[in-house]
Coordinates of all heavy atoms in Angstrom, one line a residue:
M37 N 0.8 -1.2 0.0 CA 0.0 0.0 0.0 C 0.9 1.2 0.0 O 1.6 1.5 1.0 CB -0.9 0.0 1.3 CG -1.7 1.2 1.5 SD -2.6 1.2 3.0 CE -3.5 -0.3 3.0
P38 N 0.9 2.0 -1.1 CA 1.7 3.2 -1.1 C 1.3 4.3 -0.2 O 0.1 4.5 0.1 CB 1.7 3.6 -2.6 CG 0.5 3.0 -3.1 CD 0.2 1.8 -2.3
D39 N 2.3 5.1 0.3 CA 2.0 6.3 1.1 C 1.3 7.4 0.3 O 1.3 7.2 -1.0 CB 3.3 6.8 1.6 CG 3.2 7.7 2.8 OD1 2.0 8.0 3.2 OD2 4.2 8.1 3.4
Q40 N 0.8 8.4 0.9 CA 0.1 9.5 0.2 C 1.0 10.1 -0.9 O 0.5 10.5 -2.0 CB -0.4 10.5 1.1 CG -1.5 10.0 2.0 CD -1.9 11.1 3.1 OE1 -1.3 12.1 3.2 NE2 -3.0 10.8 3.7
D41 N 2.3 10.3 -0.6 CA 3.2 10.9 -1.6 C 3.7 9.8 -2.5 O 4.4 10.2 -3.4 CB 4.3 11.7 -0.9 CG 5.2 10.8 -0.1 OD1 5.0 9.5 0.0 OD2 6.2 11.4 0.6
G42 N 3.4 8.6 -2.3 CA 3.8 7.5 -3.2 C 5.2 7.1 -3.0 O 5.7 6.2 -3.9
S43 N 6.0 7.6 -2.1 CA 7.4 7.3 -2.0 C 7.7 6.0 -1.3 O 8.7 5.4 -1.6 CB 8.1 8.5 -1.3 OG 7.6 8.6 0.1
S44 N 6.9 5.6 -0.4 CA 7.2 4.3 0.4 C 6.0 3.7 0.8 O 4.8 4.3 0.8 CB 8.1 4.6 1.5 OG 7.6 5.5 2.5
N45 N 6.1 2.5 1.4 CA 5.0 1.7 1.8 C 4.6 2.1 3.3 O 5.4 2.3 4.1 CB 5.4 0.2 1.8 CG 4.3 -0.7 1.9 OD1 3.3 -0.4 2.6 ND2 4.4 -1.9 1.4
I46 N 3.3 2.3 3.5 CA 2.8 2.6 4.9 C 3.2 1.5 5.9 O 3.5 1.8 7.0 CB 1.3 2.9 4.9 CG1 1.0 4.2 4.1 CG2 0.7 3.0 6.3 CD1 -0.5 4.5 4.0
L47 N 3.1 0.3 5.4 CA 3.3 -0.8 6.4 C 4.8 -0.8 6.8 O 5.1 -1.2 7.9 CB 3.0 -2.2 5.6 CG 1.5 -2.4 5.3 CD1 1.3 -3.7 4.5 CD2 0.7 -2.3 6.6
I48 N 5.7 -0.5 5.9 CA 7.1 -0.4 6.2 C 7.2 0.7 7.3 O 8.0 0.6 8.3 CB 7.9 -0.1 5.1 CG1 8.0 -1.3 4.1 CG2 9.4 0.2 5.5 CD1 8.6 -1.1 2.8
K49 N 6.6 1.8 7.2 CA 6.7 2.9 8.2 C 6.2 2.4 9.6 O 6.7 2.8 10.6 CB 5.9 4.1 7.7 CG 6.7 4.9 6.7 CD 5.9 6.2 6.3 CE 6.8 6.9 5.1 NZ 6.1 8.1 4.8
E50 N 5.1 1.7 9.6 CA 4.5 1.3 10.8 C 5.3 0.2 11.6 O 5.4 0.2 12.7 CB 3.1 0.6 10.6 CG 2.1 1.7 10.2 CD 0.7 1.1 9.9 OE1 0.6 -0.1 10.1 OE2 -0.1 1.9 9.5
N51 N 6.1 -0.6 10.8 CA 6.9 -1.7 11.4 C 8.4 -1.4 11.3 O 9.2 -2.3 11.2 CB 6.6 -3.0 10.6 CG 5.2 -3.4 10.8 OD1 4.5 -3.2 11.8 ND2 4.7 -4.1 9.8
R52 N 8.8 -0.2 11.5 CA 10.2 0.1 11.3 C 11.0 -0.2 12.6 O 12.2 -0.3 12.4 CB 10.4 1.6 10.9 CG 10.0 2.6 12.0 CD 10.3 4.0 11.5 NE 9.8 4.9 12.5 CZ 9.9 6.1 12.5 NH1 10.5 6.7 11.5 NH2 9.5 6.9 13.4
Y53 N 10.4 -0.4 13.7 CA 11.1 -0.9 14.9 C 10.8 -2.3 15.1 O 9.6 -2.6 15.4 CB 10.8 0.0 16.1 CG 11.1 1.5 15.9 CD1 10.1 2.4 15.8 CD2 12.4 1.9 15.8 CE1 10.4 3.8 15.6 CE2 12.7 3.3 15.5 CZ 11.7 4.1 15.5 OH 12.0 5.5 15.3
M54 N 11.8 -3.2 15.0 CA 11.5 -4.6 15.1 C 12.5 -5.3 16.1 O 13.7 -4.7 16.1 CB 11.6 -5.3 13.8 CG 10.5 -4.8 12.8 SD 10.5 -5.7 11.2 CE 12.1 -5.3 10.6
C55 N 12.2 -6.4 16.7 CA 13.1 -7.2 17.4 C 14.2 -7.6 16.5 O 13.9 -8.1 15.4 CB 12.4 -8.4 18.0 SG 13.4 -9.5 18.8
A56 N 15.5 -7.5 16.8 CA 16.6 -7.9 16.0 C 16.6 -9.4 15.7 O 17.1 -9.8 14.6 CB 17.9 -7.5 16.7
V57 N 16.0 -10.2 16.6 CA 16.0 -11.7 16.3 C 14.7 -12.2 15.7 O 14.8 -12.8 14.6 CB 16.3 -12.4 17.7 CG1 16.2 -13.9 17.5 CG2 17.6 -12.0 18.2
T58 N 13.6 -11.9 16.3 CA 12.4 -12.5 15.8 C 11.6 -11.6 14.8 O 10.7 -12.0 14.2 CB 11.4 -12.6 17.0 OG1 11.1 -11.4 17.6 CG2 12.0 -13.6 18.1
K59 N 12.1 -10.4 14.6 CA 11.4 -9.4 13.7 C 10.0 -9.0 14.1 O 9.2 -8.5 13.3 CB 11.5 -9.9 12.3 CG 12.8 -10.2 11.7 CD 13.8 -9.1 11.7 CE 15.1 -9.5 11.2 NZ 16.2 -8.8 11.7
D60 N 9.7 -9.2 15.4 CA 8.4 -8.8 15.9 C 8.4 -7.2 16.0 O 9.4 -6.6 16.3 CB 8.2 -9.3 17.3 CG 7.9 -10.8 17.4 OD1 7.5 -11.4 16.3 OD2 8.0 -11.4 18.4
T61 N 7.3 -6.6 15.7 CA 7.2 -5.2 15.8 C 7.2 -4.7 17.2 O 6.6 -5.2 18.1 CB 5.9 -4.7 15.2 OG1 5.7 -5.2 13.8 CG2 5.7 -3.2 15.1
L62 N 8.0 -3.6 17.4 CA 8.2 -3.1 18.8 C 7.3 -1.8 18.9 O 7.2 -1.0 17.9 CB 9.6 -2.7 19.0 CG 10.7 -3.8 18.8 CD1 12.1 -3.2 19.1 CD2 10.4 -4.9 19.8
C63 N 6.6 -1.7 20.0 CA 5.8 -0.5 20.2 C 5.9 -0.2 21.7 O 6.6 -0.8 22.5 CB 4.3 -0.8 19.8 SG 3.5 -2.1 20.7
N64 N 5.1 0.8 22.2 CA 5.1 1.3 23.5 C 4.7 0.1 24.5 O 5.2 0.2 25.7 CB 4.3 2.5 23.8 CG 4.9 3.7 23.3 OD1 6.0 3.7 22.9 ND2 4.2 4.8 23.2
A65 N 3.9 -0.8 24.1 CA 3.4 -1.8 25.0 C 4.3 -3.0 25.0 O 4.1 -3.9 25.8 CB 2.0 -2.3 24.5
T66 N 5.4 -3.0 24.3 CA 6.3 -4.1 24.2 C 7.5 -3.8 25.1 O 8.2 -2.8 25.0 CB 6.9 -4.3 22.8 OG1 5.8 -4.4 21.9 CG2 7.8 -5.6 22.7
T67 N 7.7 -4.8 26.1 CA 8.9 -4.6 26.9 C 10.1 -5.1 26.2 O 10.1 -6.2 25.6 CB 8.8 -5.5 28.2 OG1 7.6 -5.1 28.9 CG2 9.9 -5.3 29.2
C68 N 11.1 -4.2 26.1 CA 12.3 -4.5 25.2 C 13.6 -4.6 26.1 O 13.6 -4.1 27.2 CB 12.5 -3.4 24.3 SG 11.2 -3.2 23.1
V69 N 14.6 -5.3 25.5 CA 15.9 -5.5 26.2 C 16.9 -5.0 25.2 O 16.9 -5.4 24.0 CB 16.0 -7.0 26.6 CG1 17.5 -7.2 27.2 CG2 15.1 -7.5 27.6
V70 N 17.9 -4.2 25.7 CA 19.1 -3.9 24.9 C 20.2 -4.8 25.3 O 20.5 -4.9 26.5 CB 19.4 -2.4 25.1 CG1 20.6 -2.0 24.3 CG2 18.2 -1.5 24.8
L71 N 20.9 -5.3 24.3 CA 22.1 -6.1 24.5 C 23.3 -5.1 24.3 O 23.6 -4.7 23.2 CB 22.2 -7.2 23.6 CG 21.0 -8.2 23.6 CD1 21.2 -9.3 22.6 CD2 20.7 -8.7 25.0
K72 N 23.9 -4.6 25.4 CA 24.8 -3.5 25.4 C 26.0 -3.7 24.4 O 26.3 -2.7 23.7 CB 25.3 -3.2 26.7 CG 25.8 -1.8 26.9 CD 26.2 -1.2 28.3 CE 26.0 -2.1 29.4 NZ 26.6 -1.4 30.7
P73 N 26.6 -4.8 24.4 CA 27.8 -4.9 23.4 C 27.5 -4.6 22.0 O 28.3 -4.0 21.3 CB 28.3 -6.4 23.7 CG 27.8 -6.7 25.0 CD 26.5 -6.0 25.1
T74 N 26.4 -5.1 21.5 CA 26.0 -4.9 20.1 C 25.1 -3.8 19.8 O 24.9 -3.3 18.7 CB 25.5 -6.2 19.5 OG1 24.3 -6.6 20.2 CG2 26.5 -7.3 19.6
G75 N 24.3 -3.4 20.9 CA 23.2 -2.4 20.8 C 21.9 -3.0 20.2 O 21.0 -2.2 19.9
N76 N 21.9 -4.3 20.0 CA 20.6 -4.9 19.5 C 19.5 -4.8 20.5 O 19.8 -4.9 21.6 CB 20.9 -6.4 19.2 CG 21.8 -6.5 17.9 OD1 21.7 -5.7 17.0 ND2 22.5 -7.6 17.8
V77 N 18.4 -4.5 20.0 CA 17.2 -4.5 20.8 C 16.3 -5.7 20.5 O 16.0 -5.9 19.3 CB 16.4 -3.1 20.5 CG1 15.0 -3.1 21.3 CG2 17.2 -1.9 20.8
I78 N 15.9 -6.4 21.5 CA 15.1 -7.5 21.4 C 13.9 -7.5 22.4 O 13.9 -6.8 23.3 CB 15.9 -8.9 21.6 CG1 16.4 -9.0 23.0 CG2 16.9 -9.0 20.5 CD1 17.2 -10.3 23.3
T79 N 12.9 -8.3 22.1 CA 11.7 -8.3 23.0 C 12.2 -9.1 24.3 O 13.1 -9.9 24.3 CB 10.5 -9.0 22.4 OG1 10.9 -10.4 22.2 CG2 10.1 -8.2 21.2
L80 N 11.4 -8.8 25.4 CA 11.8 -9.5 26.7 C 11.4 -11.0 26.5 O 12.2 -11.8 27.1 CB 10.9 -8.9 27.8 CG 11.1 -9.5 29.2 CD1 12.5 -9.2 29.6 CD2 10.1 -8.9 30.2
S81 N 10.4 -11.4 25.9 CA 10.1 -12.8 25.7 C 11.3 -13.4 24.9 O 11.6 -14.7 25.1 CB 8.8 -13.0 25.0 OG 8.8 -12.4 23.7
C82 N 11.8 -12.8 23.9 CA 12.9 -13.3 23.1 C 14.1 -13.5 24.0 O 14.9 -14.5 24.0 CB 13.3 -12.4 22.0 SG 14.7 -12.9 21.0
Y83 N 14.4 -12.5 24.9 CA 15.5 -12.5 25.9 C 15.3 -13.8 26.8 O 16.2 -14.5 27.0 CB 15.6 -11.3 26.7 CG 16.5 -11.4 27.8 CD1 17.9 -11.4 27.8 CD2 15.9 -11.4 29.2 CE1 18.7 -11.6 28.9 CE2 16.7 -11.6 30.2 CZ 18.1 -11.6 30.1 OH 18.9 -11.8 31.2
E84 N 14.1 -13.9 27.3 CA 13.9 -15.0 28.3 C 14.0 -16.4 27.6 O 14.4 -17.4 28.2 CB 12.5 -14.9 28.9 CG 12.5 -13.7 29.9 CD 11.2 -13.4 30.4 OE1 10.2 -13.9 29.9 OE2 11.2 -12.6 31.4
R85 N 13.6 -16.5 26.3 CA 13.6 -17.8 25.6 C 15.0 -18.2 25.1 O 15.4 -19.3 25.1 CB 12.6 -17.8 24.5 CG 11.1 -18.0 24.9 CD 10.2 -18.1 23.8 NE 10.0 -16.8 23.2 CZ 10.1 -16.5 21.9 NH1 10.3 -17.4 21.0 NH2 10.0 -15.3 21.4
L86 N 15.7 -17.2 24.5 CA 16.9 -17.4 23.8 C 18.2 -17.0 24.4 O 19.2 -17.7 24.2 CB 16.8 -16.8 22.4 CG 15.6 -17.1 21.5 CD1 15.5 -16.3 20.2 CD2 15.7 -18.7 21.1
V87 N 18.2 -15.9 25.2 CA 19.4 -15.4 25.7 C 19.7 -15.7 27.1 O 20.8 -16.1 27.5 CB 19.4 -13.9 25.5 CG1 20.7 -13.2 26.0 CG2 19.2 -13.5 24.0
K88 N 18.7 -15.7 28.0 CA 18.9 -15.8 29.5 C 19.6 -17.1 29.9 O 20.4 -17.1 30.8 CB 17.5 -15.6 30.1 CG 17.6 -15.4 31.6 CD 16.3 -15.1 32.2 CE 16.4 -14.7 33.6 NZ 15.0 -14.3 34.1
K89 N 19.3 -18.2 29.3 CA 19.8 -19.5 29.7 C 21.3 -19.6 29.5 O 22.1 -19.9 30.4 CB 19.1 -20.6 29.0 CG 19.5 -22.0 29.4 CD 18.8 -23.0 28.5 CE 19.4 -24.4 28.8 NZ 18.8 -25.4 28.0
D90 N 21.8 -19.3 28.3 CA 23.2 -19.4 28.0 C 24.0 -18.1 28.0 O 25.2 -18.1 28.0 CB 23.4 -20.0 26.6 CG 22.7 -21.4 26.4 OD1 22.7 -22.1 27.4 OD2 22.2 -21.7 25.4
M91 N 23.2 -16.9 28.2 CA 23.9 -15.7 28.1 C 24.7 -15.5 26.9 O 25.9 -15.1 26.9 CB 24.6 -15.3 29.4 CG 23.7 -15.3 30.6 SD 22.5 -13.9 30.4 CE 23.5 -12.5 30.7
T92 N 24.2 -15.8 25.7 CA 24.9 -15.7 24.5 C 24.1 -14.8 23.5 O 22.9 -14.9 23.4 CB 25.0 -17.1 23.8 OG1 25.7 -18.0 24.7 CG2 25.8 -17.0 22.5
E93 N 24.8 -13.8 22.9 CA 24.1 -13.0 21.9 C 23.7 -13.7 20.8 O 24.5 -14.4 20.2 CB 25.1 -11.8 21.6 CG 24.5 -10.5 21.3 CD 23.8 -10.3 20.0 OE1 23.6 -11.3 19.2 OE2 23.4 -9.2 19.7
P94 N 22.4 -13.8 20.5 CA 21.9 -14.7 19.5 C 22.3 -14.4 18.0 O 22.5 -15.3 17.2 CB 20.4 -14.5 19.5 CG 20.1 -13.3 20.3 CD 21.3 -13.0 21.1
L95 N 22.7 -13.2 17.7 CA 23.1 -12.8 16.4 C 24.6 -13.0 16.1 O 25.1 -13.3 15.0 CB 22.7 -11.4 16.0 CG 21.1 -11.2 15.9 CD1 20.8 -9.8 15.8 CD2 20.5 -12.1 15.0
T96 N 25.5 -12.8 17.2 CA 26.8 -12.8 17.0 C 27.5 -14.0 17.7 O 28.6 -14.3 17.4 CB 27.6 -11.5 17.5 OG1 27.3 -11.4 18.9 CG2 27.0 -10.3 16.9
G97 N 26.9 -14.6 18.7 CA 27.4 -15.7 19.4 C 28.3 -15.2 20.5 O 28.9 -16.1 21.2
D98 N 28.5 -14.0 20.8 CA 29.3 -13.5 21.9 C 28.7 -13.7 23.2 O 27.5 -13.8 23.4 CB 29.5 -12.0 21.7 CG 30.2 -11.6 20.5 OD1 30.9 -12.4 19.9 OD2 30.1 -10.3 20.0
Q99 N 29.6 -14.0 24.2 CA 29.2 -14.3 25.6 C 28.7 -12.9 26.2 O 29.4 -11.9 26.1 CB 30.3 -14.9 26.3 CG 30.0 -15.8 27.4 CD 29.0 -16.9 27.1 OE1 29.0 -17.5 26.0 NE2 28.1 -17.2 28.0
L100 N 27.6 -12.9 26.9 CA 27.1 -11.7 27.6 C 27.2 -11.9 29.1 O 27.2 -13.0 29.7 CB 25.6 -11.6 27.3 CG 25.4 -11.3 25.8 CD1 23.8 -11.4 25.5 CD2 25.8 -10.0 25.3
K101 N 27.3 -10.8 29.8 CA 27.2 -10.7 31.3 C 26.0 -10.0 31.8 O 25.3 -9.4 30.9 CB 28.5 -10.0 31.8 CG 29.7 -10.6 31.4 CD 30.9 -9.7 31.9 CE 32.2 -10.3 31.3 NZ 33.3 -9.4 31.4
E102 N 25.6 -10.2 33.0 CA 24.3 -9.5 33.5 C 24.4 -8.0 33.2 O 23.4 -7.4 33.0 CB 24.2 -9.8 35.0 CG 23.6 -11.2 35.3 CD 22.2 -11.4 34.8 OE1 21.5 -10.5 34.8 OE2 22.0 -12.5 34.3
K103 N 25.5 -7.4 33.4 CA 25.7 -6.0 33.2 C 25.5 -5.6 31.7 O 25.3 -4.4 31.5 CB 27.0 -5.4 33.7 CG 28.2 -5.8 33.0 CD 29.5 -5.3 33.5 CE 30.7 -5.6 32.6 NZ 31.9 -4.9 33.0
D104 N 25.5 -6.5 30.9 CA 25.3 -6.2 29.4 C 23.9 -6.2 29.0 O 23.5 -5.8 27.9 CB 26.0 -7.3 28.6 CG 27.5 -7.2 28.7 OD1 28.0 -6.2 29.0 OD2 28.1 -8.3 28.5
I105 N 22.9 -6.5 30.0 CA 21.5 -6.5 29.7 C 20.8 -5.3 30.2 O 20.9 -5.0 31.5 CB 20.8 -7.8 30.3 CG1 21.7 -9.1 29.9 CG2 19.4 -7.9 30.0 CD1 21.7 -9.3 28.4
I106 N 20.2 -4.6 29.4 CA 19.4 -3.4 29.9 C 17.9 -3.6 29.5 O 17.6 -3.6 28.3 CB 19.9 -2.1 29.2 CG1 21.4 -1.9 29.5 CG2 19.1 -0.9 29.7 CD1 22.0 -0.8 28.7
I107 N 17.1 -3.8 30.6 CA 15.7 -3.9 30.3 C 15.0 -2.6 30.3 O 15.1 -1.7 31.3 CB 15.0 -4.8 31.4 CG1 15.7 -6.2 31.4 CG2 13.5 -4.9 31.2 CD1 15.2 -7.1 32.4
L108 N 14.4 -2.2 29.2 CA 13.8 -0.9 29.0 C 12.4 -0.8 29.6 O 11.6 -1.8 29.5 CB 13.7 -0.5 27.6 CG 15.0 -0.5 26.8 CD1 14.8 -0.2 25.3 CD2 16.0 0.6 27.4
K109 N 12.0 0.3 30.2 CA 10.7 0.5 30.7 C 9.8 0.8 29.6 O 10.1 1.4 28.6 CB 10.7 1.7 31.7 CG 11.4 1.4 33.0 CD 11.2 2.5 33.9 CE 12.0 2.2 35.2 NZ 11.8 3.4 36.2
R110 N 8.5 0.2 29.7 CA 7.6 0.5 28.6 C 7.1 1.9 28.6 O 7.0 2.6 29.7 CB 6.4 -0.4 28.9 CG 6.8 -1.9 28.5 CD 5.6 -2.7 28.5 NE 4.9 -2.7 29.8 CZ 3.9 -3.4 30.2 NH1 3.3 -4.1 29.2 NH2 3.4 -3.4 31.3
G111 N 6.6 2.4 27.5 CA 6.1 3.8 27.3 C 4.7 3.8 28.0 O 4.1 2.8 28.2
S112 N 4.3 5.0 28.4 CA 3.0 5.2 29.0 C 2.2 6.1 28.2 O 2.6 6.4 27.0 CB 3.2 5.8 30.4 OG 2.1 5.8 31.1
T113 N 1.2 6.6 28.7 CA 0.2 7.5 28.0 C 0.8 8.9 28.0 O 0.3 9.8 27.2 CB -1.2 7.5 28.7 OG1 -1.0 8.0 30.0 CG2 -1.8 6.2 28.6
G114 N 1.7 9.2 28.8 CA 2.2 10.6 28.9 C 1.5 11.4 30.0 O 1.9 12.5 30.3
Y115 N 0.5 10.8 30.6 CA -0.2 11.5 31.7 C 0.4 10.9 33.0 O 0.5 9.7 33.2 CB -1.6 11.3 31.7 CG -2.3 11.9 30.4 CD1 -2.6 11.1 29.3 CD2 -2.5 13.2 30.4 CE1 -3.2 11.7 28.2 CE2 -3.1 13.8 29.2 CZ -3.4 13.1 28.2 OH -4.0 13.6 27.1
V116 N 0.7 11.8 34.0 CA 1.2 11.4 35.2 C 0.2 10.5 36.0 O 0.6 9.6 36.6 CB 1.5 12.6 36.1 CG1 2.0 12.2 37.5 CG2 2.6 13.4 35.5
G117 N -1.1 10.8 35.9 CA -2.1 10.0 36.6 C -2.2 8.6 36.0 O -3.0 7.9 36.6
A118 N -1.7 8.3 34.9 CA -1.9 7.0 34.3 C -1.2 5.8 35.0 O -1.5 4.7 34.8 CB -1.4 7.0 32.8
Q119 N -0.2 6.2 35.9 CA 0.5 5.2 36.6 C -0.2 4.9 37.9 O -0.7 5.8 38.5 CB 2.0 5.7 36.8 CG 2.6 5.9 35.4 CD 3.9 6.6 35.6 OE1 4.4 6.9 36.7 NE2 4.6 6.9 34.4
N120 N -0.1 3.7 38.4 CA -0.6 3.4 39.6 C 0.2 3.8 40.8 O 1.1 3.1 41.3 CB -0.9 1.8 39.8 CG -1.9 1.4 38.7 OD1 -2.8 2.1 38.3 ND2 -1.8 0.1 38.3
T121 N -0.1 5.0 41.3 CA 0.6 5.6 42.5 C -0.1 5.4 43.7 O 0.4 5.6 44.8 CB 1.0 7.0 42.3 OG1 -0.3 7.7 42.2 CG2 1.9 7.2 41.0
G122 N -1.4 5.0 43.7 CA -2.1 4.8 44.9 C -2.8 6.1 45.4 O -3.5 6.2 46.3
E123 N -2.5 7.2 44.6 CA -3.0 8.5 45.0 C -3.9 9.0 43.9 O -3.8 8.8 42.8 CB -1.8 9.5 45.1 CG -0.8 9.2 46.2 CD 0.3 10.2 46.3 OE1 0.1 11.3 45.7 OE2 1.4 9.8 46.8
D124 N -5.0 9.7 44.5 CA -5.9 10.3 43.5 C -5.5 11.7 43.2 O -5.1 12.5 44.1 CB -7.3 10.4 44.1 CG -7.9 9.0 44.3 OD1 -7.6 8.1 43.5 OD2 -8.7 8.8 45.2
L125 N -5.5 12.0 41.9 CA -5.1 13.4 41.5 C -6.3 14.3 41.4 O -7.4 13.8 40.8 CB -4.4 13.3 40.1 CG -3.1 12.6 40.1 CD1 -2.5 12.6 38.7 CD2 -2.1 13.2 41.1
I126 N -6.3 15.5 41.9 CA -7.4 16.3 41.9 C -6.9 17.6 41.2 O -5.9 18.2 41.5 CB -7.9 16.7 43.3 CG1 -8.4 15.4 43.9 CG2 -9.0 17.7 43.2 CD1 -8.6 15.6 45.4
A127 N -7.7 18.0 40.1 CA -7.4 19.2 39.4 C -8.0 20.4 40.2 O -9.2 20.3 40.6 CB -7.9 19.2 38.0
K128 N -7.2 21.5 40.2 CA -7.8 22.7 40.9 C -7.7 23.9 39.9 O -6.6 24.0 39.3 CB -7.0 23.0 42.2 CG -7.1 21.9 43.2 CD -6.4 22.3 44.5 CE -6.4 21.2 45.5 NZ -5.7 21.5 46.7
K129 N -8.6 24.7 39.9 CA -8.6 25.8 39.0 C -8.1 27.0 39.8 O -8.7 27.4 40.8 CB -10.0 26.1 38.4 CG -10.0 27.2 37.4 CD -11.3 27.3 36.7 CE -11.3 28.4 35.7 NZ -12.6 28.6 35.0
K130 N -6.9 27.6 39.3 CA -6.3 28.7 40.1 C -6.6 30.0 39.3 O -6.4 31.1 39.9 CB -4.8 28.6 40.1 CG -4.5 27.4 41.1 CD -4.7 27.8 42.5 CE -4.2 26.8 43.5 NZ -4.4 27.1 44.8
G131 N -6.9 30.0 38.0 CA -7.1 31.3 37.3 C -6.6 31.1 35.9 O -6.3 30.1 35.4
A132 N -6.5 32.3 35.2 CA -6.1 32.3 33.8 C -4.6 31.7 33.7 O -3.7 32.1 34.4 CB -6.2 33.6 33.2
V133 N -4.4 30.9 32.7 CA -3.1 30.4 32.4 C -2.4 31.2 31.4 O -1.2 31.5 31.5 CB -3.2 28.9 31.9 CG1 -1.8 28.4 31.5 CG2 -3.8 28.1 33.0
L134 N -3.1 31.8 30.4 CA -2.6 32.5 29.4 C -3.4 33.8 29.2 O -4.6 33.7 29.1 CB -2.5 31.8 28.1 CG -1.9 32.4 26.9 CD1 -0.4 32.8 27.1 CD2 -2.1 31.6 25.6
M135 N -2.8 35.0 29.2 CA -3.5 36.2 29.1 C -3.1 36.9 27.8 O -1.9 37.0 27.5 CB -3.3 37.1 30.3 CG -3.9 36.5 31.5 SD -3.6 37.5 33.0 CE -4.7 38.9 32.6
A136 N -4.0 37.4 27.1 CA -3.7 38.2 25.8 C -3.7 39.7 26.1 O -4.5 40.1 26.9 CB -4.6 37.8 24.7
N137 N -2.8 40.4 25.5 CA -2.8 41.8 25.6 C -3.8 42.5 24.8 O -4.0 42.3 23.7 CB -1.4 42.4 25.4 CG -0.4 41.9 26.4 OD1 -0.8 41.6 27.6 ND2 0.8 42.1 26.1

């Protein structure tokens, strides 16, 4: 399916971030792991199935250490209240935020 300007495929743009091993699409809801020596990003499930047992980088075969594994936090909605803090947020109106001259 071509893009509006016809230059590239929309599906390619949507799937441009993928697990280096399984080619699964990465999004905000996907927990990812960075393998520090190579910089490869893989899904957490891929890490648990393929890397964790032998601590071997799946694409290069290099040996990994615990310090080489960086588990990334998942993205959120961008709203502070979206996280479970156990506190209720209350909005208060204080006055005009922006005034025009």
Side-chain angles (χ1 to χ4, degrees):
M37 175 185 308
D39 198 355
Q40 290 176 353
D41 62 2
S43 62
S44 65
N45 192 330
I46 290 176
L47 297 176
I48 292 172
K49 287 184 178 182
E50 290 178 4
N51 296 329
R52 68 178 174 177
Y53 300 112
M54 297 185 297
C55 173
V57 177
T58 64
K59 304 300 184 210
D60 291 339
T61 302
L62 304 179
C63 62
N64 283 351
T66 308
T67 304
C68 299
V69 176
V70 177
L71 305 176
K72 202 175 357 176
T74 59
N76 287 331
V77 178
I78 61 174
T79 61
L80 182 62
S81 62
C82 178
Y83 166 73
E84 290 174 345
R85 286 184 285 129
L86 302 174
V87 178
K88 194 173 185 178
K89 181 180 176 185
D90 299 325
M91 291 302 284
T92 303
E93 215 282 5
L95 298 174
T96 64
D98 295 339
Q99 211 48 40
L100 298 170
K101 300 175 186 167
E102 282 295 322
K103 68 178 185 172
D104 294 333
I105 307 301
I106 303 170
I107 298 176
L108 301 176
K109 292 183 179 182
R110 291 188 297 181
S112 185
T113 62
Y115 295 101
V116 174
Q119 299 168 3
N120 294 332
T121 60
E123 299 177 20
D124 293 331
L125 298 178
I126 300 171
K128 296 180 182 178
K129 187 174 181 179
K130 291 287 186 178
V133 176
L134 179 64
M135 296 179 67
N137 291 342

